[in-house]
Amino acid sequence: MSFNSRWVLAAAMLAAAAPAAADDVFPAARPKGHYADLDKLPDWGGVWTLEFGKGNPPNPAPEPKGAYKDSYLKAKALADANNGEFARQGGSYCAAPGMPYQMGVAQYPTEFVFAPGRVTVLFEAWTQVRRIFTDGRPHPADLEATYYGHSIGHWEGQTLVVDTVGLKPAAQLAQGMGHSDKERITERIHLSPSDPDQLVDELTVTDPEALEKPWTAVFRYRRHREWDELEFVCAENDRNPVDAQGHAKF
């Protein structure tokens, strides 16, 4: 490598390592001076648990198609032969289900934390975190697929409108049901107009490769101001016995 080439390479490395200019950083990373804006947002304080029963009809099941339907029917047949229990992807019960399944987990509470430029969703189940950026950023061009995808949102009055893409194959649409890389989740999250202690998530999943039609579900949550989330460490006190073939018994 010539001296000039080395100099150009060194200069490029220094430029890449330099701190980003203020204009290059989205507001969520520069919150100072924006906290007063949070008082304009709705009160989602406390923690929330999924509601069932009267006034909360069950959601319809997604309708997979093609190879995704074949895969689901195979998984369901195995579950039917195993007391209704679906095998977990990867075989680990400590792996979180991801989006959108996580929004319908019933027995553990969820908390929403507002900060300038973002809403952070804290799930007690599996001690998971979901970030919804509300600072105007787009989805990144080089998106890496994750269990919760990349979520961007904006406020329409008192409703948080969220768009999520970039979900990895292990993120569950429903038990035993997969999705393609075309999956997209849109949500409208708001307090019930008739009950300030009920939060409503109107969720729609589109996936032209895996679903016959868009799947819409409505999740309703009950507020508990007096509760705190508990620590959830899935691997702690793990005593699931393994047989000689390496299969877990439970």
Side-chain angles (χ1 to χ4, degrees):
M1 181 182 291
S2 67
F3 174 81
N4 286 339
S5 297
R6 292 177 186 273
W7 187 90
V8 170
L9 178 60
M13 293 174 66
L14 287 172
D23 292 343
D24 296 331
V25 177
F26 288 102
R30 295 182 179 276
K32 189 174 177 61
H34 297 282
Y35 283 95
D37 296 337
L38 300 180
D39 285 336
K40 303 173 185 176
L41 299 180
D43 175 14
W44 291 6
V47 302
W48 303 83
T49 55
L50 195 67
E51 283 196 315
F52 292 100
K54 186 177 180 180
N56 298 286
N59 288 305
E63 298 180 30
K65 68 179 182 180
Y68 296 94
K69 181 178 180 179
D70 295 339
S71 178
Y72 169 70
L73 292 176
K74 181 179 178 180
K76 186 176 185 306
L78 292 172
D80 290 343
N82 188 36
N83 301 312
E85 183 176 349
F86 281 83
R88 295 295 295 273
Q89 291 203 28
S92 173
Y93 281 84
C94 284
M99 283 291 292
Y101 189 93
Q102 182 93 32
M103 298 305 295
V105 171
Q107 64 267 47
Y108 299 101
T110 299
E111 184 175 7
F112 296 84
V113 180
F114 295 169
R118 76 173 72 192
V119 174
T120 303
V121 188
L122 305 177
F123 300 103
E124 181 179 290
W126 295 279
T127 314
Q128 296 295 291
V129 178
R130 179 187 178 200
R131 296 173 180 85
I132 302 170
F133 294 102
T134 58
D135 56 5
R137 71 182 66 192
H139 294 301
D142 57 345
L143 186 61
E144 180 178 351
T146 60
Y147 279 93
Y148 293 92
H150 187 268
S151 296
I152 55 177
H154 64 276
W155 290 95
E156 294 183 0
Q158 301 291 291
T159 298
L160 177 62
V161 182
V162 188
D163 180 60
T164 301
V165 296
L167 292 141
K168 67 191 312 176
Q172 296 184 39
L173 174 57
Q175 286 198 89
M177 195 175 297
H179 61 87
S180 78
D181 60 1
K182 303 296 191 298
E183 182 183 34
R184 186 176 218 107
I185 303 170
T186 58
E187 295 166 277
R188 297 183 64 85
I189 310 174
H190 56 87
L191 293 173
S192 167
S194 60
D195 185 349
D197 288 322
Q198 185 184 70
L199 188 70
V200 181
D201 184 2
E202 302 171 59
L203 182 149
T204 299
V205 179
T206 58
D207 189 335
E209 292 188 5
L211 293 177
E212 289 283 1
K213 60 182 181 181
W215 175 60
T216 298
V218 179
F219 298 112
R220 295 176 176 85
Y221 310 88
R222 176 59 48 187
R223 190 200 310 262
H224 302 274
R225 290 194 187 271
E226 72 282 9
W227 290 8
D228 290 318
E229 291 189 358
L230 301 177
E231 183 178 71
F232 184 122
V233 182
C234 185
E236 185 177 33
N237 199 31
D238 188 352
R239 295 292 186 271
N240 192 356
V242 177
D243 64 22
Q245 288 72 44
H247 300 138
K249 294 186 178 181
F250 302 123

